[in-house]
Amino acid sequence: MSQSVVCVHVWISGRVQGVGYRYSAKAQANILGLTGWVRNLLDGRVEAVFQGDRAQVEAMLRWCHQGPLSAKVNQVIVNDEAPQGFEGFEIRR
């Protein structure tokens, strides 16, 4: 893996479930060429892991603060992680 590859683990809170957040995140990640996954949590948050070039991951994190039009994001928590061997980007259940 390239040294420019970064991986972040993200938790998004607010009105982020039932508004297409996961599907929009997958579409945005695909546009940016990122790998990883996204899922809803039982506590109402969305959890995701984004991996790719630093600039693209940073663009995705900026998107996470807005999300789709009907979302209202209150908080985005980001933890750096070691890059993993993801293939593609998936929505997890």
Side-chain angles (χ1 to χ4, degrees), residues 9-28:
H9 199 151
V10 182
W11 293 267
I12 304 109
S13 61
R15 190 175 71 227
V16 294
Q17 290 191 15
V19 295
Y21 198 101
R22 291 175 301 154
Y23 296 96
S24 296
K26 182 180 188 323
Q28 187 67 22

Side-chain angles (χ1 to χ4, degrees), residues 10-12 17 37 39-47:
V10 182
W11 293 267
I12 304 109
Q17 290 191 15
W37 53 267
R39 69 178 172 188
N40 283 342
L41 295 175
L42 294 175
D43 65 6
R45 294 179 299 164
V46 168
E47 178 185 23

Side-chain angles (χ1 to χ4, degrees), residues 36-62:
W37 53 267
V38 63
R39 69 178 172 188
N40 283 342
L41 295 175
L42 294 175
D43 65 6
R45 294 179 299 164
V46 168
E47 178 185 23
V49 173
F50 303 112
Q51 180 174 289
D53 179 77
R54 179 175 301 282
Q56 276 67 35
V57 169
E58 288 174 357
M60 188 72 206
L61 292 175
R62 286 191 297 275

Side-chain angles (χ1 to χ4, degrees), residues 1 5 7 26 29-30 33-38 49-52 83-92:
M1 252 179 242
V5 171
C7 184
K26 182 180 188 323
N30 287 336
L34 300 177
T35 59
W37 53 267
V38 63
V49 173
F50 303 112
Q51 180 174 289
Q84 302 172 43
F86 296 119
E87 292 185 21
F89 194 90
E90 67 180 11
I91 295 174
R92 292 188 175 173

